[in-house]
Coordinates of all heavy atoms in Angstrom, one line a residue:
E160 N 0.8 -1.2 0.0 CA 0.0 0.0 0.0 C 0.9 1.3 0.0 O 0.4 2.3 -0.6 CB -0.9 0.0 1.2 CG -1.9 -1.1 1.3 CD -1.4 -2.3 2.2 OE1 -0.2 -2.3 2.4 OE2 -2.2 -3.0 2.6
S161 N 2.0 1.2 0.7 CA 2.8 2.5 0.8 C 3.8 2.7 -0.2 O 4.3 3.8 -0.4 CB 3.5 2.4 2.2 OG 4.3 1.3 2.3
L162 N 4.2 1.7 -1.0 CA 5.3 1.9 -1.9 C 5.1 3.0 -3.0 O 6.0 3.7 -3.3 CB 5.6 0.5 -2.6 CG 6.3 -0.5 -1.7 CD1 6.6 -1.8 -2.5 CD2 7.7 0.0 -1.3
P163 N 3.9 3.0 -3.6 CA 3.8 4.1 -4.6 C 4.0 5.5 -4.1 O 4.7 6.3 -4.7 CB 2.3 3.9 -5.1 CG 2.0 2.5 -4.9 CD 2.8 2.1 -3.6
E164 N 3.4 5.8 -2.9 CA 3.5 7.0 -2.3 C 5.0 7.3 -1.9 O 5.5 8.4 -2.1 CB 2.6 7.2 -1.1 CG 2.6 8.6 -0.5 CD 1.6 8.8 0.6 OE1 0.7 7.9 0.7 OE2 1.8 9.7 1.4
L165 N 5.6 6.3 -1.3 CA 7.0 6.4 -0.8 C 8.0 6.7 -1.9 O 8.7 7.7 -1.9 CB 7.4 5.2 -0.1 CG 8.9 5.1 0.4 CD1 9.1 6.2 1.5 CD2 9.3 3.8 0.9
T166 N 7.9 5.9 -3.0 CA 8.9 6.2 -4.1 C 8.6 7.5 -4.8 O 9.5 8.2 -5.2 CB 8.8 5.0 -5.1 OG1 7.4 4.8 -5.5 CG2 9.3 3.7 -4.5
S167 N 7.3 7.9 -4.9 CA 7.0 9.2 -5.5 C 7.5 10.3 -4.7 O 8.1 11.3 -5.2 CB 5.5 9.3 -5.7 OG 5.1 10.6 -6.2
W168 N 7.4 10.2 -3.4 CA 7.9 11.2 -2.5 C 9.4 11.4 -2.5 O 9.9 12.5 -2.5 CB 7.4 10.8 -1.0 CG 7.5 11.8 0.0 CD1 8.1 13.1 -0.2 CD2 7.0 11.8 1.4 NE1 8.0 13.8 1.0 CE2 7.4 13.0 2.0 CE3 6.4 10.8 2.1 CZ2 7.1 13.2 3.4 CZ3 6.1 11.0 3.4 CH2 6.4 12.2 4.1
I169 N 10.1 10.2 -2.4 CA 11.5 10.3 -2.6 C 12.0 10.9 -3.9 O 12.9 11.8 -3.9 CB 12.1 8.8 -2.5 CG1 11.8 8.2 -1.0 CG2 13.7 8.9 -2.8 CD1 12.3 6.8 -1.0
S170 N 11.4 10.5 -5.0 CA 11.8 11.1 -6.3 C 11.6 12.6 -6.3 O 12.3 13.3 -6.9 CB 11.0 10.4 -7.4 OG 11.4 9.1 -7.5
R171 N 10.4 13.1 -5.8 CA 10.1 14.5 -5.7 C 11.2 15.3 -5.0 O 11.7 16.3 -5.4 CB 8.8 14.7 -5.1 CG 8.4 16.2 -5.0 CD 7.0 16.4 -4.4 NE 6.8 15.8 -3.1 CZ 7.3 16.3 -2.0 NH1 8.0 17.4 -2.0 NH2 7.0 15.7 -0.9
V172 N 11.6 14.8 -3.8 CA 12.6 15.4 -3.0 C 13.9 15.4 -3.7 O 14.7 16.4 -3.7 CB 12.8 14.7 -1.6 CG1 13.9 15.3 -0.9 CG2 11.5 14.9 -0.8
M173 N 14.3 14.3 -4.3 CA 15.6 14.2 -5.2 C 15.6 15.2 -6.3 O 16.6 15.9 -6.5 CB 15.8 12.8 -5.6 CG 15.9 11.8 -4.5 SD 17.4 12.1 -3.5 CE 17.5 10.6 -2.5
D174 N 14.5 15.3 -7.0 CA 14.5 16.1 -8.2 C 14.5 17.6 -7.8 O 15.2 18.4 -8.4 CB 13.2 15.9 -9.0 CG 13.1 14.5 -9.6 OD1 14.3 14.0 -9.8 OD2 12.1 14.0 -10.0
E175 N 13.9 17.9 -6.6 CA 13.9 19.4 -6.2 C 15.3 19.8 -5.8 O 15.7 20.9 -5.9 CB 13.0 19.6 -5.0 CG 11.5 19.5 -5.3 CD 10.6 19.5 -4.1 OE1 11.1 19.5 -3.0 OE2 9.3 19.5 -4.3
S176 N 16.2 18.8 -5.4 CA 17.5 19.1 -4.9 C 18.6 18.8 -6.0 O 19.7 18.9 -5.7 CB 17.8 18.4 -3.6 OG 16.9 18.7 -2.6
S177 N 18.1 18.3 -7.1 CA 18.9 18.0 -8.3 C 20.0 16.9 -7.9 O 21.2 17.0 -8.3 CB 19.6 19.2 -8.9 OG 18.7 20.2 -9.2
F178 N 19.6 15.9 -7.2 CA 20.5 14.9 -6.9 C 20.4 13.7 -7.9 O 19.4 13.5 -8.5 CB 20.0 14.2 -5.5 CG 20.3 15.0 -4.3 CD1 19.3 15.2 -3.3 CD2 21.5 15.6 -4.1 CE1 19.6 16.0 -2.2 CE2 21.8 16.4 -2.9 CZ 20.8 16.6 -2.0
L179 N 21.6 13.1 -8.1 CA 21.6 11.9 -8.9 C 21.5 10.7 -7.9 O 22.3 10.7 -7.0 CB 22.9 11.8 -9.7 CG 23.1 10.5 -10.6 CD1 22.0 10.6 -11.6 CD2 24.4 10.6 -11.2
Y180 N 20.5 9.9 -8.1 CA 20.2 8.9 -7.0 C 19.7 7.6 -7.5 O 19.5 7.4 -8.7 CB 19.1 9.6 -6.1 CG 17.8 9.7 -6.8 CD1 16.8 8.7 -6.6 CD2 17.5 10.7 -7.7 CE1 15.6 8.8 -7.2 CE2 16.2 10.8 -8.4 CZ 15.2 9.8 -8.1 OH 14.0 9.9 -8.7
E181 N 19.5 6.7 -6.6 CA 19.0 5.4 -6.9 C 18.1 5.0 -5.6 O 18.5 5.4 -4.5 CB 20.0 4.4 -7.2 CG 20.9 4.1 -5.9 CD 22.0 3.0 -6.3 OE1 22.0 2.4 -7.3 OE2 22.9 2.9 -5.4
I182 N 17.0 4.3 -5.8 CA 16.2 3.8 -4.8 C 16.3 2.2 -4.8 O 15.8 1.6 -5.8 CB 14.7 4.2 -4.9 CG1 14.6 5.8 -5.0 CG2 13.9 3.7 -3.8 CD1 13.2 6.3 -5.4
I183 N 16.9 1.6 -3.8 CA 17.1 0.2 -3.8 C 16.0 -0.4 -2.9 O 16.1 -0.2 -1.7 CB 18.5 -0.2 -3.4 CG1 19.6 0.5 -4.2 CG2 18.6 -1.7 -3.3 CD1 21.0 0.3 -3.8
L184 N 15.0 -1.0 -3.4 CA 14.0 -1.7 -2.7 C 14.3 -3.1 -2.5 O 14.4 -3.9 -3.5 CB 12.6 -1.5 -3.4 CG 12.2 -0.1 -3.7 CD1 10.9 0.0 -4.6 CD2 12.0 0.7 -2.4
V185 N 14.5 -3.5 -1.3 CA 15.0 -5.0 -1.1 C 13.7 -5.6 -0.5 O 13.3 -5.5 0.7 CB 16.0 -5.1 0.0 CG1 16.5 -6.5 0.1 CG2 17.3 -4.2 -0.5
D186 N 13.1 -6.5 -1.3 CA 11.9 -7.2 -0.9 C 12.3 -8.5 -0.1 O 12.8 -9.4 -0.6 CB 11.1 -7.7 -2.2 CG 9.8 -8.4 -1.9 OD1 9.6 -8.6 -0.7 OD2 9.0 -8.7 -2.8
D187 N 12.0 -8.4 1.2 CA 12.3 -9.4 2.1 C 11.3 -10.5 2.2 O 10.8 -10.8 3.3 CB 12.6 -8.7 3.5 CG 13.1 -9.7 4.5 OD1 13.8 -10.7 4.1 OD2 13.0 -9.5 5.7
G188 N 11.0 -11.2 1.1 CA 10.1 -12.3 1.1 C 8.6 -11.9 1.3 O 7.9 -12.6 1.9
S189 N 8.2 -10.7 0.7 CA 6.9 -10.3 0.8 C 5.8 -11.3 0.1 O 6.3 -11.9 -0.9 CB 6.7 -8.9 0.2 OG 7.4 -8.0 0.9
R190 N 4.7 -11.3 0.6 CA 3.7 -12.2 0.1 C 2.4 -11.5 -0.4 O 1.4 -12.1 -0.7 CB 3.3 -13.3 1.1 CG 4.4 -14.2 1.5 CD 4.0 -15.2 2.5 NE 5.0 -16.1 3.0 CZ 4.9 -17.1 3.8 NH1 3.7 -17.3 4.4 NH2 6.0 -17.8 4.2
D191 N 2.4 -10.2 -0.4 CA 1.3 -9.4 -0.7 C 1.4 -8.8 -2.1 O 0.5 -7.9 -2.4 CB 1.1 -8.3 0.4 CG 2.2 -7.3 0.4 OD1 3.3 -7.6 -0.3 OD2 2.0 -6.2 0.9
G192 N 2.3 -9.2 -2.9 CA 2.4 -8.6 -4.2 C 3.3 -7.4 -4.3 O 3.3 -6.7 -5.3
S193 N 4.1 -7.2 -3.2 CA 5.0 -6.0 -3.3 C 6.0 -6.1 -4.3 O 6.4 -5.1 -5.0 CB 5.8 -6.0 -1.9 OG 4.9 -5.6 -0.9
W194 N 6.5 -7.4 -4.7 CA 7.6 -7.4 -5.8 C 7.0 -7.1 -7.1 O 7.6 -6.4 -8.0 CB 8.2 -8.8 -5.8 CG 9.3 -9.0 -6.9 CD1 9.1 -9.7 -8.0 CD2 10.5 -8.3 -7.0 NE1 10.3 -9.6 -8.8 CE2 11.1 -8.7 -8.1 CE3 11.2 -7.5 -6.1 CZ2 12.4 -8.3 -8.5 CZ3 12.4 -7.0 -6.5 CH2 13.0 -7.4 -7.7
E195 N 5.8 -7.6 -7.4 CA 5.1 -7.3 -8.6 C 4.9 -5.8 -8.8 O 5.0 -5.2 -9.9 CB 3.8 -8.0 -8.8 CG 3.9 -9.5 -8.9 CD 4.3 -10.3 -7.6 OE1 4.2 -9.7 -6.6 OE2 4.7 -11.4 -7.7
L196 N 4.6 -5.1 -7.7 CA 4.4 -3.7 -7.8 C 5.7 -3.0 -8.0 O 5.8 -2.0 -8.8 CB 3.8 -3.2 -6.4 CG 3.7 -1.7 -6.2 CD1 2.7 -1.1 -7.4 CD2 3.2 -1.3 -4.9

C-alpha cells in the first residue's frame, strides 16, 4: 500500500535538490504482491 507514495515522495525530494540517485527496494520475502508492484 505504501510503496507508490513512498517512491514518488523520494523522487520528488531528489528532483527538487537535483540529486543523482537510486532507490534500492529490497523485498524481504513479501507475500502481498510487493515485488510485482
Side-chain angles (χ1 to χ4, degrees):
E160 300 96 342
S161 61
L162 285 177
E164 182 176 345
L165 176 65
T166 54
S167 174
W168 192 355
I169 293 173
S170 294
R171 175 178 58 79
V172 171
M173 296 296 188
D174 292 340
E175 289 175 354
S176 300
S177 300
F178 288 132
L179 182 61
Y180 69 99
E181 62 182 354
I182 305 173
I183 303 174
L184 303 175
V185 184
D186 184 353
D187 187 24
S189 297
R190 298 180 180 180
D191 65 345
S193 291
W194 180 250
E195 289 73 19
L196 177 60

